């Protein structure tokens, strides 16, 4: 009986004429576009200006790519600087190897620079981008499928991924940890969206929730992987990193909620300034109109009261004249 499995692509490169399109790079690029698009929608919904997310991403994305690559090369230096290896391969990012921890850390530095130039609070921008980054990771993980890397232990489950014979790998069917992490990231994104709507997260707490939730999943997924990695006290280095970052993210949520409860009312001052005049103008115009109508109504009421008073005076005068006329004959007869 043939075992069902997920086939891996025979090659990670698709040639469009003379132009090579690498699956790993393609997934990263698509993930970035999705993150910017969805992050822009959330930013505008928070009161920001359209296009601001893309402007800041110009800083954040390059920093993130460099940071992700640095983390990978530093933690897996033996792949590039040991005997028989070529250190130039450390620059071949299209062959795979991006550490999310380094990407987020250095990407945050780039985002801080972009936010500072625009006068925007970084925590608010990070909150808007949090689920968008998770969606981007979900897409980017499929780049590992193209490169046949970062799979788990051998298994005969129906959703096992087939790995072909290659450098540093044996043919067989393995746990598709890239798929597990992709699905987990989608779940993280949905969790952050729900929590943000339900609890009105602000001041970086939505981003911290994304970090904590991702680390919770990355810990057990990392434990399943069988690729070469450094170990500390019997656990892979990335498992310890997940635990540490998870604790820091949860601590930030607790402390931040006590020190700065609620959510930022203004996330981009320029957007609020542009939006207020028309809104206030409408209110002022309406108020002026209402005031004019009220004054007109008061004037009409006063006019009516004056007319009634005059009519009443004339009626009283007529009544007095009639009374006098009736009284005179009576006096003559008497």
């Amino acid at each position: 009986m043939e075992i069902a499995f997920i086939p891996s692509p025979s090659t990670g490169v698709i040639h469009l004429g003379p132009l090579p399109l690498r699956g790993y790079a393609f997934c990263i690029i698509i993930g970035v576009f999705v993150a910017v698009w969805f992050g822009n929608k959330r930013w505008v919904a928070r009161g920001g200006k359209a296009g601001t997310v893309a402007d800041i991403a110009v800083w954040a994305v390059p920093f993130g790519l460099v940071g992700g690559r640095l983390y990978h090369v530093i933690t897996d230096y033996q792949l590039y600087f040991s005997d028989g290896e070529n250190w130039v391969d450390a620059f071949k990012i299209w062959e795979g190897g991006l550490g999310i921890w380094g990407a987020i850390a250095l990407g945050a530095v780039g985002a801080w620079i972009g936010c500072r130039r625009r006068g925007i609070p970084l925590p608010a921008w990070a909150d808007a981008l949090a689920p968008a980054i998770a969606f981007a990771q979900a897409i980017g993980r499929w780049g590992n499928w193209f490169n046949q890397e970062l799979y788990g232990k051998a298994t005969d489950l129906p959703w096992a991924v087939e790995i072909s014979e290659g450098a540093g790998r044996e043919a067989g069917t393995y746990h598709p940890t890239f798929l597990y992490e992709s699905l987990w990231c989608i779940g993280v994104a949905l969790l952050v969206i729900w929590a943000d709507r339900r609890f009105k997260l602000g001041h970086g707490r939505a981003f911290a929730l994304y970090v904590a939730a991702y680390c919770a999943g990355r810990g057990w997924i990392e434990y399943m992987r069988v690729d070469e990695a450094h170990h500390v006290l019997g656990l892979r280095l990335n498992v310890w990193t997940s635990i540490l970052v998870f604790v820091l993210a949860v601590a930030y949520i607790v402390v931040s909620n006590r020190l700065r409860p609620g959510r930022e009312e203004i996330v981009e001052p320029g957007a609020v300034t542009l939006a207020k005049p028309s809104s206030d103008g409408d209110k002022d115009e309406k108020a002026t109109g209402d005031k004019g109508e009220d004054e007109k109504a008061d004037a009409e009421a006063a006019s009516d009261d004056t007319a009634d008073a005059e009519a009443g005076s004339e009626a009283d005068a007529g009544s007095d004249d009639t009374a006098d006329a009736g009284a005179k004959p009576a006096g003559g007869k008497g």
Side-chain angles (χ1 to χ4, degrees), residues 12-29:
V13 184
I14 301 175
H15 291 276
L16 301 178
L19 180 65
L21 178 61
R22 301 183 181 276
Y24 186 87
F26 180 73
C27 291
I28 297 297
I29 293 172

Side-chain angles (χ1 to χ4, degrees), residues 167-292:
R169 63 175 187 252
E170 297 181 2
T173 56
Y174 300 85
H175 277 284
T177 51
F178 74 90
L179 175 60
Y180 298 160
E181 187 168 336
S182 179
L183 295 175
W184 183 267
C185 286
I186 293 175
V188 169
L190 296 177
L191 171 65
V192 174
I193 292 173
W194 170 81
D196 194 27
R197 290 177 179 175
R198 175 66 177 80
F199 302 105
K200 303 297 181 183
L201 301 176
H203 302 287
R205 288 188 287 276
F207 184 81
L209 175 61
Y210 144 72
V211 172
Y214 172 74
C215 290
R218 178 62 186 268
W220 67 267
I221 293 173
E222 184 74 23
Y223 187 76
M224 297 177 63
R225 284 167 47 174
V226 294
D227 53 301
E228 185 177 356
H230 294 287
H231 288 72
V232 178
L233 300 177
L235 293 178
R236 293 167 65 96
L237 177 60
N238 280 332
V239 175
W240 285 111
T241 304
S242 297
I243 295 173
L244 174 62
V245 177
F246 173 84
V247 172
L248 293 176
V250 172
Y252 178 86
I253 293 174
V254 174
V255 175
S256 174
N257 189 56
R258 291 180 178 178
L259 297 179
R260 307 185 70 182
R263 171 188 280 184
E264 302 93 336
E265 294 184 0
I266 299 176
V267 297
E268 190 168 0
V272 175
T273 302
L274 293 175
K276 270 194 169 183
S278 59
S279 176
D280 294 343
D282 292 342
K283 292 179 180 180
D284 293 341
E285 183 179 352
K286 181 178 179 181
T288 303
D290 292 342
K291 183 177 180 181

